[in-house]
Amino acid sequence: MTPLACQHTGFSRLKLFWALSRTPHGLLDMATPALGALLWLGRFPSFELIVIGLITTFAGYTAVYALNDVIDYRVDKEKIQLCQAFDPGCDLDAVMVRHPMAQGYLSFYEGLLWTAAWSAVAMIGAYRLNPVCIVIFLTGCILEIIYCLLLKVTHLRTLVSGGVKTAGAIAGVFAVDPHPSPLFLMVLFFWLFCWEIGGQNVPNDCTDLDKDRRLSARTVPVRLGLESANVIIIGTLIVTVILSAVVLYLSPIPFEFPFAVASVATGLCLFVLPASLLYKTNQPVYAMALFNMASYYPLAILIIVVIKIML
């Protein structure tokens, strides 16, 4: 145990592990598999499936977020040396402690065990839901590893992040139906893929632009510049809003006009508006605001879907 780790015991130490997995953000992301499942199934699944699904989803996101810090352990330590300390500001991913392993609050071995344990829980739950979900989970983990390893190689790593974030929703569909529509899966994939690129990955890289330059990282803002990054952001988010209407149309749930309007309005408010402000100003504060607000998008759409199903 490191000297810094010795300062934390009991509940405060447990919080370090939750920080490693960025649990506040992970809890928001749990809405994504539920959203995919409900949109395709068109109704609530059995109580048993809901319970297993929630446990599996929580375990999966807890493991994958921790995996990011495990793979990036050396890079995160290098960031601390170059930038002296992390400045979380209003970052949703840093509401607890950002990168606790790299800062010495947790050892690498502890982080690795935490990741492996939750991965095991996720795979057991995935098997109970549908063995295909195990393949999807492992694919997501492999993509996450590739994403981390490409930090100093190519800015195209952002495309890999899109694949990671869509894995949960695709698994959610297979959890409730072993033979879903390929067309629905394709639209669902590109819908969430565009949301991840424009609302999460690139905006987050915009806020870390100065640090990434010092680190010689290859991100979209570093490689293409802020202006081009902002064009990518607003372009993919406009596509996200359009695809949200297509996903609702392909769902067996009969969404009336007010629900379609609510879906589009949600996207406009949560990410198109802050993206337009970022495009006009190039101010990092708007990039962080966009990242934080867009993080609530799957949950907001899930609430709309749940309300419709209950009516």
Side-chain angles (χ1 to χ4, degrees), residues 33-288:
L35 180 59
L38 291 182
L39 280 172
W40 176 243
L41 188 62
R43 56 179 173 80
F44 294 116
S46 66
F47 179 75
E48 179 184 4
L49 193 148
I50 291 175
V51 173
I52 296 175
L54 287 174
I55 295 172
T56 303
T57 300
F58 178 80
Y61 281 108
T62 300
V64 171
Y65 271 118
L67 178 64
N68 180 282
D69 272 28
V70 169
I71 302 302
D72 273 348
Y73 177 61
R74 295 182 183 279
V75 172
D76 291 336
K77 291 187 70 173
E78 186 180 352
K79 280 184 181 179
I80 294 176
Q81 293 173 352
L82 289 174
C83 307
Q84 301 303 315
F86 289 111
D87 179 18
C90 299
D91 190 350
L92 177 64
D93 279 351
V95 295
M96 301 174 80
V97 176
R98 190 170 187 181
H99 306 309
M101 285 197 315
Q103 296 200 62
Y105 294 112
L106 295 174
S107 70
F108 178 82
Y109 181 68
E110 288 174 321
L112 185 62
L113 282 180
W114 175 263
T115 304
W118 282 109
S119 295
V121 174
M123 286 192 287
I124 293 171
Y127 180 79
R128 288 289 303 276
L129 294 170
N130 183 345
V132 173
C133 294
I134 295 181
V135 177
I136 296 172
F137 172 71
L138 292 177
T139 301
C141 290
I142 293 172
L143 289 175
E144 183 68 21
I145 292 171
I146 293 173
Y147 171 76
C148 293
L149 295 178
L150 291 178
L151 176 64
K152 297 184 179 182
V153 178
T154 174
H155 63 288
L156 295 179
R157 67 197 284 267
T158 189
L159 300 178
V160 181
S161 75
V164 175
K165 275 296 181 76
T166 59
I170 301 299
V173 174
F174 277 99
V176 297
D177 184 355
H179 305 290
S181 162
L183 176 60
F184 178 81
L185 289 177
M186 182 179 67
V187 175
L188 180 68
F189 175 90
F190 283 109
W191 174 41
L192 295 174
F193 180 90
C194 290
W195 160 73
E196 161 64 14
I197 299 300
Q200 300 281 270
N201 188 267
V202 179
N204 194 47
D205 285 342
C206 287
T207 64
D208 290 337
L209 180 59
D210 292 335
K211 297 176 184 177
D212 287 337
R213 280 174 174 163
R214 278 182 273 178
L215 195 64
S216 298
R218 306 286 285 183
T219 66
V220 170
V222 170
R223 178 67 179 82
L224 303 180
L226 277 177
E227 187 171 329
S228 295
N230 290 338
V231 171
I232 292 172
I233 288 171
I234 199 162
T236 53
L237 291 179
I238 290 174
V239 174
T240 301
V241 173
I242 295 172
L243 289 178
S244 68
V246 180
V247 169
L248 295 188
Y249 175 78
L250 294 176
S251 172
I253 304 172
F255 288 101
E256 290 84 6
F257 182 72
F259 289 95
V261 171
S263 172
V264 171
T266 298
L268 293 175
C269 293
L270 289 182
F271 48 68
V272 173
L273 178 59
S276 63
L277 291 174
L278 175 62
Y279 180 79
K280 292 177 181 178
T281 64
N282 276 338
Q283 295 297 318
V285 64
Y286 289 117
M288 182 58 67

